Amino acid sequence: YVTDSCQYLQNKWKSNNALPGTIIMPVMFHGITKDAATGPNQISAQDFKKLMNDLHELGFQAINMQQMVDFMYNNTNIPPRSVLLIVDDRHFAESFNDHFRTYYEQWGWPVVNAYIGIDERADLWAENAALSAEGWVDYQAHGYIHNIPIMNSSTDEFINGEMGGAITSLQKYMNKTPVGYIWPGGGFSARAVEIGTQLGYKLGFTVNQRGPVMYNWIPQADAVNQSNPMAIPEVPANNPLMTIPR
């Protein structure tokens, strides 16, 4: 958050900045299925198309991660109703071409791929590097080995391996340095948030079901609420920008 009140008010009301009341709704995807979705992390292609069309009809416009960083830090101008589309995990280019390219071509909508950094499957890296070069698929970090969520008990060595390793891989294969960290499995800790910011991450994303977010306003909880029992309380991490809900 911007702690200096004068700076906050200047950013909020500057005429060429985002309009007061501008929101961003981060949305999480995992799998888009041809037929009916059978798992909690899936959405059918039919429902996905309906979601995208509904968003557009409601006046939402998709943005990329750097746009969100600029907005959250400086209230830089973005559409008043913005959506950040984040696809978790590694997918072949076919998945983005089949499901997201049409919205880029029709509406100019980018999509974020939260990409796992482990160095394997050269063909998969090559396909995604080509998409990254096109510019409309925005690759951000989703851990290195990914399948072990960060917890309060995680060591500094493990945290640096996960968060720093993801940076190294994206720099190597995509020729870019990520500014967003999408917490694998939604797991985070105060120490991981601290290390992540030291490594250069500007925003972090949980799997907590809260939101949407606004400039200088991010929904946070200080304890587990039984209405949302799977959500890890964000307040102990002491950095709302690194614990943004989806």
Side-chain angles (χ1 to χ4, degrees), residues 150-152 159 163 181 183 187-206 220 233-244:
I150 290 173
M151 301 180 291
N152 289 329
I159 295 169
M163 304 188 81
Y181 192 80
W183 299 101
F188 62 89
S189 68
R191 180 58 178 157
V193 164
E194 181 182 11
I195 290 174
T197 55
Q198 292 170 358
L199 290 170
Y201 290 108
K202 299 296 185 182
L203 300 176
F205 296 83
T206 71
Q220 304 269 279
E234 301 94 345
V235 170
N238 197 35
N239 187 339
L241 290 169
M242 288 296 293
T243 53
I244 296 173

Side-chain angles (χ1 to χ4, degrees), residues 206-237:
T206 71
V207 297
N208 292 351
Q209 299 176 32
R210 313 189 202 283
V213 302
M214 302 173 71
Y215 173 64
N216 234 43
W217 190 86
I218 302 168
Q220 304 269 279
D222 57 8
V224 174
N225 189 312
Q226 291 308 309
S227 67
N228 195 6
M230 300 302 292
I232 302 172
E234 301 94 345
V235 170

Side-chain angles (χ1 to χ4, degrees), residues 43-106:
I43 184 173
S44 70
Q46 180 179 357
D47 286 343
F48 169 76
K49 290 178 181 178
K50 184 178 187 305
L51 170 63
M52 298 293 275
N53 287 326
D54 285 350
L55 286 168
H56 189 257
E57 289 178 6
L58 288 168
F60 280 89
Q61 294 292 323
I63 60 174
N64 62 31
M65 189 65 73
Q66 188 59 56
Q67 287 177 290
M68 182 159 184
V69 168
D70 294 340
F71 171 76
M72 297 304 294
Y73 277 79
N74 302 304
N75 199 35
T76 301
N77 191 30
I78 59 172
R81 295 186 181 185
S82 291
V83 61
L84 189 74
L85 306 168
I86 304 176
V87 181
D88 287 17
D89 305 335
R90 293 184 292 185
H91 298 270
F92 282 97
E94 180 182 18
S95 178
F96 292 97
N97 288 327
D98 286 351
H99 300 300
F100 290 94
R101 183 180 286 275
T102 184
Y103 303 107
Y104 169 69
E105 293 176 346
Q106 291 179 7

Side-chain angles (χ1 to χ4, degrees), residues 150-196:
I150 290 173
M151 301 180 291
N152 289 329
S153 59
S154 298
T155 65
D156 283 12
E157 180 182 14
F158 177 74
I159 295 169
N160 275 291
E162 278 297 284
M163 304 188 81
I167 292 174
T168 300
S169 287
L170 287 172
Q171 288 174 336
K172 176 181 178 181
Y173 291 102
M174 307 293 190
N175 194 31
K176 71 173 297 180
T177 299
V179 293
Y181 192 80
I182 292 81
W183 299 101
F188 62 89
S189 68
R191 180 58 178 157
V193 164
E194 181 182 11
I195 290 174

Side-chain angles (χ1 to χ4, degrees), residues 121-166:
R121 299 177 70 177
D123 58 337
L124 187 59
W125 275 105
E127 286 192 14
N128 281 279
L131 279 180
S132 178
E134 289 187 34
W136 61 278
V137 184
D138 178 14
Y139 288 84
Q140 300 295 328
H142 194 37
Y144 184 74
I145 64 171
H146 162 269
N147 57 357
I148 303 175
I150 290 173
M151 301 180 291
N152 289 329
S153 59
S154 298
T155 65
D156 283 12
E157 180 182 14
F158 177 74
I159 295 169
N160 275 291
E162 278 297 284
M163 304 188 81

